[in-house]
Amino acid sequence: MIFWSGWSEEAFEIIAGLIKSGKIERIPCQLYIYLIDGKALTLPILKGDPNRIKRPHWLPCVFNAC
C-alpha cells in the first residue's frame, strides 16, 4: 500500500517519527482532496483488505495534528 510518492527517505522518516510520537495522525481521505490540488497517483486506489492485495495500490490520506 502506497500513501505518497516521490518523497526522500529523510522526509519519510520525519513523517513516520511524527506519527509514532503521536504528534500527527494519518487519515484516509477521498480522491477529490488530491484532485483539488492537481496531484494524484496513477495507481489503483485501495478498497478492501490491504493484506489481500497482490500489486501496489494507493491510499489517499491527509495528516492531522493531534
Side-chain angles (χ1 to χ4, degrees):
M1 179 175 21
I2 297 172
F3 295 103
W4 55 83
S5 173
W7 285 21
S8 68
E9 186 174 340
E10 180 182 13
F12 173 81
E13 294 298 328
I14 290 168
I15 294 295
L18 290 169
I19 291 170
K20 187 175 181 179
S21 70
K23 295 186 180 194
I24 64 172
E25 61 183 345
R26 182 179 49 229
I27 301 172
C29 69
Q30 297 295 319
L31 174 61
Y32 74 85
I33 298 295
Y34 280 77
L35 296 178
I36 288 170
D37 287 337
K39 303 279 183 186
L41 298 180
T42 57
L43 297 167
I45 294 177
L46 178 68
K47 296 175 184 162
D49 185 355
N51 296 314
R52 300 190 71 186
I53 61 173
K54 300 201 184 317
R55 59 188 180 133
H57 280 66
W58 177 43
L59 182 62
C61 63
V62 294
F63 296 99
N64 286 338
C66 295

